[in-house]
Structure formats: structure tokens, C-alpha cells
Amino acid sequence: MSDAVAARMRRNAVLGNASRRFSFVLEESVLRYRFGGAETMAAQLGHLLAVMDLQNVALGIVPFSAQRTVWPMPTFTVFDDTRVHADTLDAASALTQPSQVELYARAFERLSQGAVRGAAARSLIAGALSSLD
């Protein structure tokens, strides 16, 4: 088993743990960026649709048409009230200063406010899937 497959299996196992809650916000653009071929993209988009069905997962997508209150940002993960991981081009940083954690938590909240969920999010993913042809 490749390292990538093993890592994906570990991530999926964590998502399936109903005692944990996850909230994701994606930009619509990431649904349409072409990393890998159509088959790879279709699998990734299909995975998003499947993850949306999990009771412990909330998935929002910021559509192109959303009124922006914050610029699109590099990837960051808010784990709790004490830790954030932020990615840049050259490093991934673990941020633990309360002011840093609060800044990223506010950014996540603002991005979340512009996100669509449920049927509207599914429609954006379906649109990205249909554009793969």
C-alpha cells in the first residue's frame, strides 16, 4: 500500500468517527481546478458528495457569486480554541498564540457566512462533475 493511500485511509477513518465533529469550507474554485485527470477529479468530487452525508460533517462551499467579506485564503485548519495549522508556500505552521487562533477562527466564521450548504453545495459539486466531460 502506498503512503498516499494509507494517509487517505487514516483521514477517512477519522471522518467516520461519529464522536468528532468537522466543519469544512471550500472555495468553489477548488472544485474546478484540474489536478490530475478527469477520473481523479471525479473521484475527489464524488468523495465530497459522500462526506456530505456524514452526520458529523458540515461542508460549505463559497460560490464564485458570493459577496466577499474576506479574501480567499491559503489552507488553514482550526483544531480547537488553542491550535491552528496554517499553510504557506514554504512551510506549515502550528499557531498557538491566542490572538493568532482568534484571528483564524474569525476568518473561518466569515468564510462560513458566505458558504452555501446542502442542496446548493451539492449543485456546485455536480456542476464541477459535469464540466469534466
Side-chain angles (χ1 to χ4, degrees), residues 47-123:
H47 181 69
L48 285 177
L49 291 170
V51 165
M52 290 178 75
D53 291 336
L54 298 174
Q55 294 296 316
N56 62 325
V57 174
L59 176 66
I61 299 172
V62 180
F64 290 131
S65 61
Q67 178 65 44
R68 304 300 306 217
T69 60
V70 63
W71 287 100
M73 303 176 73
T75 299
F76 66 93
T77 305
V78 179
F79 286 94
D80 51 33
D81 293 339
T82 62
R83 183 175 52 132
V84 170
H85 285 186
D87 295 335
T88 62
L89 287 176
D90 64 344
S93 301
L95 308 173
T96 57
Q97 294 294 324
S99 61
Q100 294 171 312
V101 173
E102 182 182 337
L103 178 67
Y104 279 89
R106 280 196 326 261
F108 183 82
E109 180 59 35
R110 289 177 69 189
L111 286 167
S112 293
Q113 289 172 354
V116 297
R117 290 169 171 47
R122 285 185 180 285
S123 178

Side-chain angles (χ1 to χ4, degrees), residues 25-45:
V25 175
L26 306 173
E27 299 280 346
E28 182 179 358
S29 58
V30 303
L31 303 177
R32 299 189 176 268
Y33 290 143
R34 297 284 183 110
F35 290 102
E39 185 176 308
T40 299
M41 290 299 300
Q44 291 176 347
L45 294 169

Side-chain angles (χ1 to χ4, degrees), residues 12-24 51-59:
N12 287 340
V14 170
L15 285 175
N17 182 343
S19 68
R20 294 178 184 243
R21 310 248 346 126
F22 299 93
S23 183
F24 298 101
V51 165
M52 290 178 75
D53 291 336
L54 298 174
Q55 294 296 316
N56 62 325
V57 174
L59 176 66

